[in-house]
Amino acid sequence: MGVAGSQILICPATTMDAVGINAIYAPFVVGTTVLSETEPPSVSDMASRIEVNIKTYGYFVAESAGMILGYAYGSQYRPRPAYQNSAEVSVYIAPVAQGRGLGQAIYKALIEHLTDLGFYTLIGIVTIPNPASARLHKACGFELVSALQDVGKKFGNWHGIAIYQLMIDD
């Protein structure tokens, strides 16, 4: 796969990727309603998030020519022991790389990793409306299982979420 003629590598993230990941994440925080955060994390906070998720769920980046174009990670779905085989998953793609199949490629790497770790249920939570994310989840085999209306408020407006679920075969 290529973006602007360059080869794209999908690999596990490291804390050294925090600057590039934060460069993708921060504009989503301050300029869109797709994230519930209202202030972008610092680079050191992002590095801490990466470090925690690398050890337990996995964190992957897609890069080309030394530039991070996207990332995907798994995280804890709920803190109770009964949910230990479920993970929440997220993916973010830089605007320059959107619409080229990169989201599917990096999500598939994460899904394979979580499958290898023994996870059974993957959950994607999407602020609605977000047609691009809905298409991505469906393309990766997720099923829309629920929606909640007006559960988050950002930029003075209430927003709902769609809940997508992927059951991993044993």
Side-chain angles (χ1 to χ4, degrees):
M1 171 184 302
V3 171
S6 299
Q7 186 66 21
I8 293 179
L9 174 65
I10 296 175
C11 58
T14 71
T15 56
M16 298 298 293
D17 295 319
V19 171
I21 288 170
N22 217 31
I24 294 170
Y25 189 76
F28 281 105
V29 172
V30 298
T32 75
T33 59
V34 301
L35 292 170
S36 58
E37 289 191 85
T38 56
E39 295 292 326
S42 67
V43 171
S44 63
D45 286 341
M46 184 60 77
S48 295
R49 292 178 186 188
I50 294 166
E51 185 172 29
V52 167
N53 287 341
I54 286 172
K55 294 176 184 175
T56 52
Y57 298 93
Y59 217 117
F60 290 83
V61 293
E63 57 182 64
S64 178
M67 180 179 169
I68 294 177
L69 299 173
Y71 65 98
Y73 64 94
S75 59
Q76 184 178 48
Y77 169 63
R78 307 250 341 223
R80 305 281 192 248
Y83 299 113
Q84 68 183 349
N85 296 104
S86 298
E88 186 173 335
V89 292
S90 299
V91 62
Y92 298 96
I93 305 300
V96 67
Q98 290 177 2
R100 300 180 184 181
L102 184 58
Q104 286 185 46
I106 196 167
Y107 235 1
K108 287 178 183 178
L110 176 64
I111 291 165
E112 182 177 309
H113 175 76
L114 291 167
T115 300
D116 290 345
L117 290 177
F119 284 90
Y120 181 72
T121 304
L122 304 183
I123 300 158
I125 298 176
V126 176
T127 301
I128 49 179
N130 188 337
S133 189
R135 282 190 304 274
L136 171 63
H137 282 86
K138 289 176 186 175
C140 290
F142 286 76
E143 180 181 339
L144 176 63
V145 294
S146 184
L148 303 173
Q149 301 302 312
D150 297 343
V151 293
K153 191 172 187 180
K154 188 169 180 183
F155 303 140
N157 296 307
W158 286 100
H159 302 278
I161 57 170
I163 302 169
Y164 291 86
Q165 183 177 24
L166 176 65
M167 305 299 292
I168 299 174
D169 293 332
D170 286 331

